[in-house]
Amino acid sequence: MKTIKKKIVRIRTKFFIILLILGAFSSCSVEKFIPEGEFLYTGGEIEIEADSTITDREELEAELTNVLRPNPNSKFLGMRPGLYYHYKAQRDKPGFINKFLNKKIGEEPVYLSDIELNNTEELLINRLENRGFFYSRVSSDTKTNEESRTASATYKLSVLEPYTMATYQLDSDSLLVYRDIKENLDNTLLEEGMRFDLPEFKNERERIDNHLKKEGYYNFNPGFLIFEADTNQYDQKKFDLFLRLKKDVPSKSVIPYQISNVNVYVNYNVDEDSITRNYKRYKDKNYFQDELFFKPEYLDPYILLETGDYYSPKLSRSTSRRLGTIGVYKFVNIRYEEIDTLAQDNLGLLEANIFLSPLKKRAIRAELQAVTKSNSFTGPHLALTFINRNLFNGGETLNVSANFGYEVQQGTSGAPGSNSLQLGISNDLIIPRLLFPVKFSKNFFKYDIPKTRIRLGADYLTRSQLFSLSSINSSFGYYWNANRYVTHEFNPVDLNYVSLTNVSDEFQQILTENPFLESSFDQEFIAGLTYSFTYNELIDSQKKHAFFLNTNFDMAGNTMSLIGKEAQDGKKEVLGLEYAQYAKLDMDLRYHFRFAKNQTIATRLFAGYGLSYGNSEVLPFSKQYFSGGPYSVRAFRTRSLGPGTFDPNEGADEENIGYRDQNGNIRFEANAEYRFPIVQFLNGAFFVDAGNVWTSDAQPETTNENGQNGKFGSDFLNELGIGAGTGLRIDIQSFVIRFDLAFPLHDPRKPVGERWVNEFGSPVFNFAIGYPF
């Protein structure tokens, strides 16, 4: 609870700062504070004149621009709030607010007198020579504006034709390391005709070092390699490049190393100096533990280091990462110790020591949340989680979670469905290995070992004066990472039992009037399988073009149909329960284009389709799609779009029918958002959303009194709900609080010809945690 209070205080402080900054913009001029004889530096620019075509010109200009120092004071919407509050804080009586904001966002002024033009010219010449443009020239000049008291600098670069490489050769020597370098030289980053490029030469040294590390050269480093350029044989601007080892390189640095022994300290305490001497030998490894903490036969598959293998930093990193994914260990530390081997001068020996420091075996976490939804439901939520790690000495983790929530719809006191009570409990047993009839080899899953998850849970939801919904769910399946970007999750067994009880007369009338909704509650029992594939490049924050793809496949009822018995109504049952039969497939594709400084264009395309067949007329209620809300089409409230042009609110007060969830078995949605920084922790966004849900021809009719229906047809694009808006995001160490204000532009619920709307006077406000996509 203390942590939650601290976070709330920090968030309030951030809001306070934002309000003060925005309030000061009207008087944020700094010209009056600039001392006499000084000019505020606004930045420098580079002008290049070249006597030949420059390849990678943009990259070169960016590198040269980064040389310009110092950076000018930052600006926001044409203002300089950091500089403004710095000046205000220098007064005789600055006041508490000015001193506080100066401490948080204040910036020292950068004047023209701070700019050392000669030093910058030397740095620019140095960068040009590093890129092969020798004998280039640089001149500089400054420009001042007396009215605004500002100044800028201009650097003019006269760039001559660069030197280009004619040949690339490796010196010959009898050392073993030369042979290993030569065998991999075909993979060089350097090619004939390229210009002299010092950064690229450094990359080539790193490449060779990485290759030698893979071959076991434990003590080698790229600093032992040196490049020499020879221009004597050419009249034109060409050179021969030679690669060799530096003189006096230590002998132990040019020999490969082999692992002589692997020691695993299973229950290592970082706070204790002494370590146990008790160990068990298992598959050529020593497992040290005073008493059984982790069974060696279950831990061994995670360790890729083997006695007799050559040293490999890649296998060392993979072993560390794999051990860290078990969920039992807090720290994983792999250390190598050299063993003196005078008898073998061409081969070194290493002892690998793996120190594993466990997490606390048991932990309890409590979370108290205040939930506000876009459909006006608000209320407290309490979640309790109990974790028991390494339950059976094989890395197993048991998670037991219980949650309680009470929500009230604002402005509808006493109306049916105006409040809801939610209770839930879930039990997850995660086993860090594959429980499967067929045994796979240790190296079959090279990147990660699949985990087995067994889940059992129950939920209860009651909506006042309407209905109660109880469910029991259970699943058995596996999840694993195929590589850094790809994740699989497969549940061959996925069971769900749903029971609708305490149905009021009013809600029964709604079900009777809406066959689609009524049919979706009929399926009590769901038994099937699910599969999910995820490809995620968004984890690389520096990647300019990043893609994300998530596909989900859900199928139920096929196995049950083999053993089901036909009931009086013609539907099949298992153990007296009518079961659902359907197939469902959806795709979530995202693309992020990151440009400039912390600016992103984020896009998403979602498409999903569910097909009911056999024993089902419609998809079960919990498996249907909905549209609208803070993570969907933000100009429409949660579950208020669709299906199709259907509008159940016709002639009714929208706030009093929040329980009429509008679902479908088809969903299509497209989103685009431009994200940009404002100040430090505050980011902004402009966005456009479009989407809707529909029912297919096989589903029961969904029609209101005006004849509007939710069927999917060839005119579906004209039935999209479209909205646009703007938002603010408070990003505190990747914890994002999001505020979006969205305006409907195209409302499919209105008659044809009246769907393009101008409702800027009635925007929809969304509050959410995290980005929408």
Side-chain angles (χ1 to χ4, degrees), residues 279-296:
Y279 70 91
K280 177 182 178 181
R281 188 77 174 169
Y282 182 80
K283 289 191 176 181
D284 294 329
K285 301 182 187 69
N286 300 320
Y287 288 86
F288 289 84
Q289 48 188 333
D290 281 326
E291 55 185 39
L292 182 64
F293 178 79
F294 204 122
K295 297 176 182 178

Side-chain angles (χ1 to χ4, degrees), residues 49 141 174 200 302 436 448 464 475-476 478-479 513 537 559 571 639 665 677 714 734 748:
E49 295 180 0
D141 193 12
S174 59
E200 198 67 9
Y302 284 86
F436 198 72
D448 192 16
S464 62
S475 65
F476 175 90
Y478 316 98
Y479 64 98
E513 294 173 353
E537 291 182 339
T559 303
K571 297 293 183 67
R639 298 176 181 261
N665 66 305
S714 58
S734 297

Side-chain angles (χ1 to χ4, degrees), residues 168 185 187-190 199-209 225 227 243:
Y168 174 36
L185 211 58
N187 297 320
T188 179
L189 302 175
L190 311 180
E200 198 67 9
F201 296 161
K202 292 180 179 179
N203 292 337
E204 174 69 359
R205 292 199 313 177
E206 294 288 345
R207 184 196 68 81
I208 294 173
D209 176 63
L225 295 170
F227 284 105
L243 172 65

Side-chain angles (χ1 to χ4, degrees), residues 639-656:
R639 298 176 181 261
S640 68
L641 261 179
T645 61
F646 180 73
D647 182 11
N649 302 339
E650 188 72 31
D653 183 0
E654 181 178 344
E655 290 186 348
N656 290 327

Side-chain angles (χ1 to χ4, degrees), residues 333-443:
N333 188 10
I334 301 178
R335 304 176 197 166
Y336 292 94
E337 292 184 9
E338 295 183 49
I339 299 176
D340 293 333
T341 53
L342 299 177
Q344 302 182 47
D345 294 333
N346 293 325
L347 183 64
L349 294 179
L350 292 173
E351 188 172 63
N353 298 297
I354 304 175
F355 298 94
L356 304 176
S357 302
L359 290 159
K360 289 184 177 180
K361 185 174 179 63
R362 298 177 183 86
I364 297 178
R365 182 176 68 241
E367 294 182 11
L368 179 61
Q369 302 173 339
V371 176
T372 300
K373 297 181 179 179
S374 60
N375 57 358
S376 300
F377 274 90
T378 62
H381 278 243
L382 174 65
L384 299 173
T385 303
F386 169 74
I387 302 174
N388 192 338
R389 302 182 179 93
N390 201 27
L391 190 61
F392 306 117
N393 301 114
E396 304 85 1
T397 299
L398 175 65
N399 295 318
V400 181
S401 299
N403 62 79
F404 167 83
Y406 180 78
E407 298 176 3
V408 176
Q409 190 175 35
Q410 299 175 7
T412 60
S413 178
S418 61
N419 61 72
S420 68
L421 176 67
Q422 302 175 42
L423 302 173
I425 185 169
S426 64
N427 302 269
D428 283 6
L429 177 62
I430 299 173
I431 304 170
R433 52 192 169 274
L434 192 65
L435 297 185
F436 198 72
V438 178
K439 189 174 182 179
F440 294 89
S441 67
K442 177 179 177 178
N443 296 321

Side-chain angles (χ1 to χ4, degrees), residues 537-558:
E537 291 182 339
L538 302 183
I539 58 176
D540 282 344
S541 58
Q542 303 302 317
K543 203 174 183 67
K544 186 174 183 180
H545 302 280
F547 289 88
F548 171 93
L549 173 64
N550 174 244
T551 59
N552 296 285
F553 176 70
D554 185 355
M555 177 177 284
N558 289 353

